[in-house]
Amino acid sequence: MAPAPFGFICGFFWFGSFLLAQLAIFWYEPAVRRSRVLGNGIAMTIAAATITVALAANSDGTAILAETYAVMTIACLFVLYGPFFYTIHTSLSIESIILLAQQAGRARQSALIERFASRTLLDARLRTMVDSGYLIQRGEIFVLTPRARRIAHAFGAVKALWRLGPGG
Amino acid sequence: MKGIILATLATVLSFLLATSLFRLWHIERRAYALLWVFAIGAGFVITAHFVTPDDLAILPLSLTAQPQWFDLVSSLFFFGAAFFGGILQIYNLADRGFSLRLLIDLEETSAHSATAGFLFGRYSAGHGIDWMYRKRLDGMIRTKLITIDGDVVELTSRGTATAKIFMALRQVFRVKAE
């Protein structure tokens, strides 16, 4: 098989393996820190694909092409998977329509606002952000970590560049 | 490798085109406009694939992907991923991200820190958390997931189908509600 398609297929295979392994971990250990599973999982997936390609490569100099396609494929599948993953886990819109479906498809707007624009929801989100390493909690004060400051800066620059307004 | 290079070029050009659109015109439906940017970028990838030599006149034989149809298909895949997973997601997060907006609100304070009470009232440069949720409701109406009549919110058939899909996905991923 030509090296580029081989690398591509290798990337798909190992990403598929990562998906199944990750689902198994979440199924049996639902309380695990999920962002860490994602990060470590992808690193291991890339390593596995790289080793597979290296072991299968011909000595004609085309291994680098196969490696590049394998890593690029995994990276691209991951950037497509990430938003899907976080939508399932944190989307307020999805949470809202699920709540409506559980209440025979109807609810009072005031009740939804009370639930989803509540201090309780904000507190839960802040706890998640502390667990994910974006914030440090000192008593009642939430402090940005250096990583979070970099992210805030970067996206602030994008908002300014694209003239998006405050958003959120 | 030609496919990867063309995909990269298309991504950069798409980012520049999106930036020009957003800066030069006031666009209401920016996500919709970005779909047109994607179409133009995909057109560039396809056109460039056919008008350029297989080795782009610079690549060694060992870096020339074969067969050619695979090179084109993989190029479109890489560009699609970079656009929908990259540019579009950057826009989504920057314009709608709840957690990201909290980070920016904190960054804009003098000590880069605040209480939950401060964030609740001052969310998104003073708009408040309920403004955030009303935006979500407007988005769900626009995408025909719900209707609102007075104080009553009702799921549409599309909303019901979408809810069922995500309920099943949340069971598979064993996600608890926030």
Side-chain angles (χ1 to χ4, degrees):
Chain A
M1 182 183 283
F6 176 71
F8 199 68
I9 290 167
C10 201
F12 260 93
F13 171 78
W14 280 111
F15 187 83
S17 303
F18 153 76
L19 277 185
L20 291 174
Q22 170 221 229
L23 283 175
I25 291 170
F26 294 158
W27 188 259
Y28 292 107
E29 297 286 341
V32 73
R33 208 162 130 182
R34 295 184 173 216
S35 55
R36 191 168 281 178
V37 171
L38 277 192
N40 291 343
I42 277 301
M44 288 166 59
T45 302
I46 289 174
T50 305
I51 292 168
T52 305
V53 169
L55 289 173
N58 298 323
S59 55
D60 59 356
T62 57
I64 192 165
L65 188 65
E67 295 279 14
T68 303
Y69 269 79
V71 173
M72 284 286 297
T73 300
I74 291 169
C76 286
L77 288 168
F78 185 65
V79 296
L80 288 172
Y81 176 64
F84 170 75
F85 177 88
Y86 282 104
T87 297
I88 293 173
H89 283 74
T90 64
S91 167
L92 293 180
S93 299
I94 295 301
E95 191 99 37
S96 301
I97 63 171
I98 288 176
L99 183 71
L100 284 165
Q102 290 168 340
Q103 294 181 356
R106 305 175 113 219
R108 295 210 158 272
Q109 185 179 187
S110 50
L112 288 177
I113 290 172
E114 199 178 306
R115 162 93 181 240
F116 291 108
S118 67
R119 179 61 190 270
T120 308
L121 186 96
L122 175 65
D123 289 343
R125 186 58 66 96
L126 291 173
R127 269 197 306 276
T128 302
M129 292 166 74
V130 169
D131 290 343
S132 300
Y134 295 112
L135 301 177
I136 297 167
Q137 187 171 6
R138 295 181 183 139
E140 288 186 6
I141 307 284
F142 292 89
V143 185
L144 287 174
T145 60
R147 175 167 73 120
R149 288 200 65 197
R150 286 193 292 273
I151 292 169
H153 264 293
F155 276 89
V158 170
K159 288 165 79 64
L161 182 67
W162 283 350
R163 295 186 178 167
L164 296 182
Chain B
M1 200 65 89
K2 169 181 166 179
I4 293 174
I5 292 171
L6 292 182
T8 305
L9 275 176
T11 304
V12 171
L13 290 172
S14 296
F15 183 84
L16 293 173
L17 180 58
T19 302
S20 303
L21 281 176
F22 291 163
R23 289 186 71 84
L24 293 174
W25 286 283
H26 175 71
I27 298 174
E28 287 287 335
R29 296 175 66 187
R30 287 186 283 239
Y32 186 71
L34 284 175
L35 290 180
W36 281 105
V37 173
F38 171 74
I40 292 169
F44 167 82
V45 169
I46 294 169
T47 305
H49 174 82
F50 286 110
V51 303
T52 54
D54 293 350
D55 60 2
L56 291 176
I58 54 171
L59 295 172
L61 194 60
S62 60
L63 292 182
T64 305
Q66 295 293 341
Q68 279 307 296
W69 67 262
F70 168 80
D71 202 20
L72 175 60
V73 167
S74 63
S75 187
L76 287 169
F77 169 74
F78 292 139
F79 171 62
F83 188 91
F84 289 103
I87 294 174
L88 188 60
Q89 281 314 309
I90 289 172
Y91 163 72
N92 261 338
L93 286 170
D95 197 43
R96 292 169 46 87
F98 180 32
S99 301
L100 182 62
R101 185 64 233 183
L102 290 170
L103 294 185
I104 294 174
D105 284 334
L106 282 165
E107 174 62 13
E108 289 176 349
T109 62
S110 56
H112 311 304
S113 60
T115 62
F118 174 89
L119 290 170
F120 187 76
R122 296 280 307 157
Y123 178 79
S124 186
H127 284 98
I129 296 276
D130 63 332
W131 168 85
M132 174 276 294
Y133 190 67
R134 287 179 199 277
K135 260 184 69 177
R136 296 309 190 263
L137 288 173
D138 289 344
M140 285 187 266
I141 292 171
R142 241 190 344 268
T143 50
K144 298 183 170 48
L145 295 175
I146 61 171
T147 57
I148 297 183
D149 185 7
D151 193 37
V152 177
V153 181
E154 197 162 351
L155 270 182
T156 61
S157 52
R158 176 191 278 192
T160 303
T162 305
K164 284 182 180 166
I165 290 168
F166 277 93
M167 283 161 75
L169 285 169
R170 281 189 160 199
Q171 274 195 320
V172 169
F173 279 81
R174 299 200 79 184
V175 176
K176 284 195 301 191
E178 192 165 34

